[in-house]
Amino acid sequence: QQARIRNSDFRSKIMSAEDAAALISDGSTIGMSGFTGSGYPKAVPLALADRIRAEHARGNPFRVKIWTGASTGPELDGALAEADGIEFRLPYNSDPVARQRINDGRMDYVDMHLSQVAPMAWQGFLGRLDTAVIEIAGITPEGDLIPSSSVGNNKTWLDIAERIILEVNDWQSPLLDGMHDIYYGTALPPNRVPIPLIRPDDRIGQPHFRVDPAKVAAVVATDAPDRNAPFSPPGATAEAIAGHILEFLTWEARRAGLPPSLLPLQSGVGNVPNAVMAGLIDTPFEQMTAFTEVIQDGMLDMIEAGTLRVASATAFSLSPEKAQYFNDNAARFRDRLILRPQEISNNPELVRRLGCIAMNCLIEADIYGNVNSTRIMGSRVQNGIGGSGDFARNGYLSIFMTPSTAKGGAISAIVPQCSHVDHIGQDVQVLVTEQGLADLRGLSPRQKAEAIVARCAHPAYRPMLEDYMARAARLSHGQYAPSLPSEALSWHQRFMETGSMMP
Ligand code: 0RQ
């Protein structure tokens, strides 16, 4: 660890995770690093969970408020939720234990656009930040911090927190140093200026975080790997969805006269987006770029195949095998990857300027093209909106994809009306299932309904949707977007009562 901590002032602050966790008190607000399971602190949260359990055993209250970049890992959200130690969480969670607590009403959760978290923290909308707990890859002789495998909101947490705990993780590749671009030019209105990024690979900032050493209370040495979710190869459904998208992109590039490098790609996480990335290797597109949130397995493959020239993101989200491969071969990828703060990677100004092609997954879509990305049956949160809204509203193209059914066919992903809306129809230009693709650009609500039901709905549910549309066309209060309010959510009600949307 001495090799990673090259500043003597910081070296004098090295202590155990337990001693560092003892600095945190009941009711604290803590800004942690971490984004899609990478670059999150792995020792202090576990020690804090032990401390919380011990206090609870003594009958003392102890819960904290946790802010992060996005999702973390079992050592953070999982352990603290298990210990009933989180009273409040923002802006994104995918941990199953924390999700259960939220859905049981025992944890407050604010699900936010990821680009908005840092500005809202600066604006004071979220309250005071007591402590920052940040994983880094090292400390320079000058006392600057070398970021880890995610950047997220770390710059902001380091700047606004009253006290800082650093975890220096020896597992992270030393070659991460130099891959980050930390932009310090953001200001609040009325002093905000344009962000000077014109191309996805522009570097506009500096490689390291700056930090006020007087605020650093503890430095903890760790060597645990990132969460790195295992990767299951795409099945037939994912490949069918990817096939429709690749055919569409090829057609769209010709129609719009787009260059062979297309436009910067944004891709959500999961099997379907990975299948799209894999498919892009075999298309005529070349020298492509990604301006996105997370770097996934498929993007590293595209870089090695020569299809992808450069990827800009805020974090890695790799399988364990690919993470090891990256660590062993980091030199090969170093010049092709740029990690930025999430207020830059997801910035609406930049997404609009660059004309990103946004590709995200959804939970359900309705016949008018509204999309629910976050809430099962309208009331149970799955993960959160993440960056999907940042990209969907502002991209050149916004594509949403899903298998046409869920839960073995008991649920139709295409419904008369979404039980909750994250992305309004205006932000959804293309809808894709394994059944087909609907290009909704320029269509009226009634035209959208025709296209979505005909091309995207599963054949088992298509007649039910056609029947609803036919009756709505006769009985609706208005004919702009015909609907039958008393029936529109009856499919969800039926599922909750019988376990299936099928009558
Ligand atoms: O439930 O785990 O109990 O089986 O929802 O669904 O099919 O595993 O899909 O993991 O790709 O997630 C939209 C949630 C899709 C994700 C969402 C049930 C289904 C399963 C998960 P089980 P799958 P995925 C960049 C962009 C928002 C954030 C975002 C997401 C579970 O993509 O969180 O886009 N997106 N970020 O059975 C009831 C339906 C359902 C349903 C699926 N219609 N009704 N349950 N499920 N459809 C990344 C970041 O922002 C970090």
Side-chain angles (χ1 to χ4, degrees), residues 21-204:
L23 300 170
I24 296 169
S25 50
D26 173 38
S28 291
T29 301
I30 312 171
M32 302 244 193
S33 60
F35 200 106
T36 46
S38 62
Y40 59 94
K42 295 159 183 89
V44 175
L46 281 175
L48 180 61
D50 284 343
R51 188 158 167 239
I52 288 171
R53 261 191 301 273
E55 290 296 333
H56 289 178
R58 285 188 210 106
N60 297 329
F62 201 131
R63 296 179 92 200
V64 294
K65 305 179 190 77
I66 304 279
W67 307 350
T68 59
S71 53
T72 66
E75 307 97 312
L76 198 168
D77 277 306
L80 288 169
E82 190 80 56
D84 195 19
I86 309 180
E87 76 176 72
F88 177 97
R89 182 78 177 83
L90 67 73
Y92 189 85
N93 170 70
S94 67
D95 181 82
V97 184
R99 179 189 296 135
Q100 189 62 45
R101 299 246 164 200
I102 295 164
N103 285 324
D104 289 346
R106 291 188 287 164
M107 186 195 299
D108 280 316
Y109 174 48
V110 177
D111 154 29
M112 297 171 68
H113 292 302
L114 296 183
S115 72
Q116 290 186 343
V117 182
M120 285 198 183
W122 274 110
Q123 281 152 199
F125 294 176
L126 310 176
R128 206 183 62 161
L129 186 63
D130 299 305
T131 303
V133 184
I134 308 293
E135 179 181 283
I136 51 174
I139 301 173
T140 69
E142 298 74 31
D144 291 329
L145 310 181
I146 302 166
S148 170
S149 49
S150 68
V151 178
N153 288 313
N154 297 353
K155 174 189 82 100
T156 301
W157 298 168
L158 290 165
D159 279 350
I160 67 175
E162 291 178 12
R163 178 180 33 210
I164 295 165
I165 297 171
L166 298 173
E167 283 196 6
V168 183
N169 188 345
D170 210 27
W171 176 83
Q172 298 289 358
S173 167
L175 291 181
L176 285 173
D177 190 4
M179 279 179 44
H180 309 87
D181 187 53
I182 313 300
Y183 177 62
Y184 277 93
T186 52
L188 297 181
N191 301 315
R192 192 169 277 161
V193 294
I195 299 168
L197 186 146
I198 310 291
R199 308 254 173 257
D201 51 339
D202 283 348
R203 287 181 170 272
I204 57 173

Side-chain angles (χ1 to χ4, degrees), residues 237-238 240-242 244-245 272-273 360-366 371-372 399-406 411-414 430-436 452 456-458:
T237 303
I241 295 172
H244 297 311
I245 292 177
V272 183
N360 292 291
C361 300
L362 58 79
I363 285 173
E364 64 182 1
D366 66 30
V371 161
N372 173 4
I399 301 173
F400 277 94
M401 51 197 157
T402 179
S404 65
T405 61
I411 291 175
S412 174
I414 309 296
V430 176
L431 201 60
V432 195
T433 69
E434 80 287 354
Q435 300 295 322
I452 292 170
C456 301
H458 191 277

